[in-house]
Amino acid sequence: MASSETERSTRFSQNPYWETEFNRFEQAISSSPAPIRVRSVMKLSESANRIPKSILSRAIPILAGLLRVSDDPSRSVQSAAAHCLKRIACIGGEESGFAVKMGRCGVIACLLGLLLEANGNDIALRTIWVKCLWSLVTFGSSIRIGLARLGGLEIVIRELNTWEDDSSRWCLLEIFTALTTIREMRHVLVHNGGLKFLVEAVRVGNLASRERACHAIGLIGITRRARRLLVEAGVIPALVDLFKDGDEKTKLLAGNALGIVSAQTEYVWSVTAAGSVPLYVELLSGRDPMGKDIAEDVFCILAVAEGNAVLIAEQLVRILREGDDEAKLAASGVLWALSGYRHSVSVIRDSGAIPLLVEILRDGSAEFRERVSGAISQLSYNEDDREAFSDSGMIPILIEWLGDESEELRDNAAEALVNFSEDQQYYGRVREAIGHPVFRNMQSKLARIRASHELMMIRSMRRVTIEPLARDQDLL
């Protein structure tokens, strides 16, 4: 099929009519005054979707040469050539290689030079140069490095700072985000005032460009200074809006970037107030494993504030009541993580999560039991939580787990039972477990830890970092 199409295209391109027309075009460009050259270029542009690609490819060097003419004070020939190049690049797309060929013919350098020479008030010409540059960057992704080396980022930022035409500003922003895919370009944004445009790009442009902006924010935002500048530029509401409206991939990128921003404690409340918690609940309840990991990491960050922990626990309880098995497993993992916060102990108890966990445990999978057992072992250090577990019928289940094949489950159950045994109110109910080897080994282990004062380190509030979120974002 592909071979027959190629043969047909070859026969079409060798049609004497097209050869004649191309020769006329070539002659008009080489020997005619500016008005005729403009008409010839516009005719080519208008007919580009019907012209064989081989003919269009031969026209590219000629059009590139027109960008360099010096006898065109009105820029009419250059603007016509730029418009025609844009149209050819868009018609050909990435597969045609037209944009890459234009780069090799010096079109990028010419366009940047024209932008530098342009009068700031001549928005019409600047728009033509920018749209042509946009087409090259969009359909020739491999030429972005060349654009960067020619000072493209600095010129684009200069244009963004002075641009007055809102209807075409998106072109500049999409060029800008394409350049942020280059590591060296991202590094300079913190120092050249470009971060505000990165935030603007989250809201404006096609979805691919907005995703590039999210990706760059996630990579740049790992430093405190960058996070501060991004927040001052309005990154939190911008990311939340994209989180709400984006597709599955976009939600992952926006959620991850927002989590990195929230890693600075002074921004935790702002991220929550912007309405992010229900969005992370959606990720946690979804099918994508990476989305679940991102939501769990961010919930652990947001929960450093007790008010946030209350809100998160309420959402987790809803998942335990209404979610599917995978969602319940993910929610139990977050509860386990939150049980390490001192203020979350009472939050989890008051949320009503404990009876639900015990109920689900009776028929839960081995993985679910292991996750929940970790939370139970942590929560069992608190007197009120021991009461809640006891009332929910947890003690017989813990005793049964001492004989489970999972070492993690046995150890977590033993740790919880040791805590119950040290409470006079429950000693009689756990007496049958006291002689079990797993129980006695855990009792000895905890005694050694307490003697060396390590228990305070284990039970202290965990240090929250953004390392899990600052993962290799190429996986997103």
Side-chain angles (χ1 to χ4, degrees):
M1 181 67 179
S3 177
S4 63
E5 288 181 355
T6 302
E7 291 173 1
R8 185 166 62 250
S9 176
T10 301
R11 290 196 302 270
F12 188 45
S13 65
Q14 292 174 346
N15 187 315
Y17 170 78
W18 292 115
E19 285 295 328
T20 301
E21 288 298 304
F22 179 77
N23 291 334
R24 287 176 180 171
F25 168 77
E26 195 172 24
Q27 184 176 3
I29 296 302
S30 64
S31 60
S32 300
I36 295 178
R37 284 188 285 175
V38 170
R39 284 198 297 271
S40 298
V41 172
M42 294 306 296
K43 181 180 178 181
L44 175 66
S45 180
E46 292 166 1
S47 307
N49 62 339
R50 296 185 290 107
I51 298 175
K53 289 186 176 180
S54 61
I55 298 294
L56 292 177
S57 180
R58 290 163 61 188
I60 288 174
I62 298 173
L63 294 168
L66 291 178
L67 294 178
R68 293 186 285 268
V69 298
S70 58
D71 58 344
D72 183 28
S74 66
R75 305 292 193 191
S76 59
V77 173
Q78 291 169 308
S79 61
H83 175 77
C84 188
L85 286 165
K86 168 186 169 291
R87 182 159 171 77
I88 291 173
C90 292
I91 289 173
E94 186 94 27
E95 295 179 357
S96 69
F98 287 165
V100 174
K101 184 171 183 178
M102 292 175 193
R104 291 172 181 163
C105 290
V107 172
I108 294 176
C110 289
L111 292 171
L112 293 178
L114 289 168
L115 281 170
L116 286 173
E117 296 171 8
N119 187 319
N121 297 323
D122 197 347
I123 190 66
L125 280 177
R126 291 163 65 203
T127 300
I128 293 171
W129 312 145
V130 166
K131 286 187 175 181
C132 184
L133 187 60
W134 167 86
S135 69
L136 269 66
V137 171
T138 301
F139 300 109
S141 56
S142 62
I143 67 175
R144 295 170 185 174
I145 293 177
L147 174 60
R149 288 174 177 169
L150 290 169
L153 182 65
E154 292 79 5
I155 294 174
V156 169
I157 289 177
R158 191 199 73 163
E159 292 297 317
L160 284 168
N161 277 317
T162 59
W163 202 259
E164 298 174 356
D165 184 5
D166 291 339
S167 65
S168 56
R169 187 176 178 84
W170 61 270
C171 291
L172 277 170
L173 290 170
E174 291 187 12
I175 297 170
F176 177 75
T177 62
L179 289 170
T180 64
T181 61
I182 303 169
R183 179 183 300 177
E184 292 77 11
M185 297 298 99
R186 292 195 300 270
H187 287 172
V188 302
L189 291 181
V190 179
H191 310 287
N192 66 6
L195 290 183
K196 61 183 179 183
F197 300 124
L198 199 57
V199 173
E200 183 182 355
V202 172
R203 297 186 181 276
V204 178
N206 63 35
L207 197 56
S209 176
R210 298 169 75 186
E211 288 176 352
R212 291 195 297 263
C214 271
H215 190 196
I217 288 170
L219 293 169
I220 294 171
I222 60 175
T223 66
R224 291 180 64 88
R225 181 187 178 194
R227 284 199 296 273
R228 176 178 58 80
L229 293 172
L230 287 166
V231 171
E232 289 174 355
V235 74
I236 292 175
L239 288 174
V240 168
D241 287 344
L242 187 57
F243 202 162
K244 291 177 182 176
D245 302 332
D247 61 16
E248 185 175 342
K249 178 185 176 183
T250 308
K251 289 180 184 295
L252 292 178
L253 288 166
N256 194 69
L258 190 61
I260 288 175
V261 172
S262 69
Q264 203 157 319
T265 53
E266 56 261 46
Y267 305 138
V268 164
W269 273 113
S270 298
V271 171
T272 305
S276 64
V277 170
L279 303 175
Y280 285 111
V281 169
E282 182 183 342
L283 279 187
L284 192 70
S285 303
R287 297 291 183 182
D288 193 303
M290 185 165 289
K292 293 178 185 293
D293 289 344
I294 291 172
E296 182 172 342
D297 292 339
V298 176
F299 277 148
C300 290
I301 293 172
L302 298 180
V304 297
E306 185 171 355
N308 288 347
V310 172
L311 179 60
I312 292 168
E314 290 174 353
Q315 296 291 333
L316 296 176
V317 166
R318 184 175 63 80
I319 293 176
L320 292 175
R321 287 198 179 107
E322 305 170 3
D324 58 24
D325 290 344
E326 289 188 8
K328 289 177 180 178
L329 180 63
S332 68
V334 177
L335 286 169
W336 181 5
L338 297 189
S339 67
Y341 293 106
R342 290 182 179 178
H343 62 257
S344 290
V345 172
S346 61
V347 168
I348 294 174
R349 180 188 67 244
D350 295 342
S351 70
I354 290 176
L356 289 171
L357 287 173
V358 176
E359 180 182 347
I360 298 170
L361 276 173
R362 301 183 190 279
D363 301 315
S365 65
E367 184 180 2
F368 186 85
R369 292 197 300 272
E370 287 181 0
R371 285 201 184 189
V372 174
S373 68
I376 292 171
S377 67
Q378 290 296 310
L379 294 169
S380 66
Y381 284 92
N382 181 272
E383 181 180 354
D384 291 335
D385 287 327
R386 288 196 295 271
E387 181 180 359
F389 281 122
S390 176
D391 292 344
S392 300
M394 191 66 228
I395 290 178
I397 298 175
L398 290 171
I399 295 174
E400 181 183 345
W401 283 353
L402 291 177
D404 195 90
E405 62 181 16
S406 167
E407 181 180 359
E408 182 177 359
L409 188 61
R410 294 196 304 268
D411 287 348
N412 287 332
E415 184 176 359
L417 288 168
V418 169
N419 290 328
F420 274 106
S421 72
E422 294 173 350
D423 188 326
Q424 193 63 35
Q425 182 178 352
Y426 304 107
Y427 179 81
R429 300 184 62 181
V430 301
R431 182 179 297 173
E432 65 178 284
I434 292 176
H436 197 287
V438 176
F439 179 96
R440 296 179 67 179
N441 287 339
M442 180 58 66
Q443 192 176 40
S444 299
K445 178 180 178 181
L446 291 176
R448 290 194 301 272
I449 291 174
R450 288 163 180 163
S452 63
H453 303 288
E454 292 180 11
L455 183 61
M456 294 302 295
M457 295 174 59
I458 293 175
R459 296 185 58 202
S460 65
M461 181 181 293
R462 68 176 62 209
R463 291 180 60 194
V464 180
T465 75
I466 62 172
E467 290 179 6
L469 291 167
R471 54 176 62 84
D472 183 357
Q473 297 191 58
D474 289 337
L475 297 177
L476 292 179

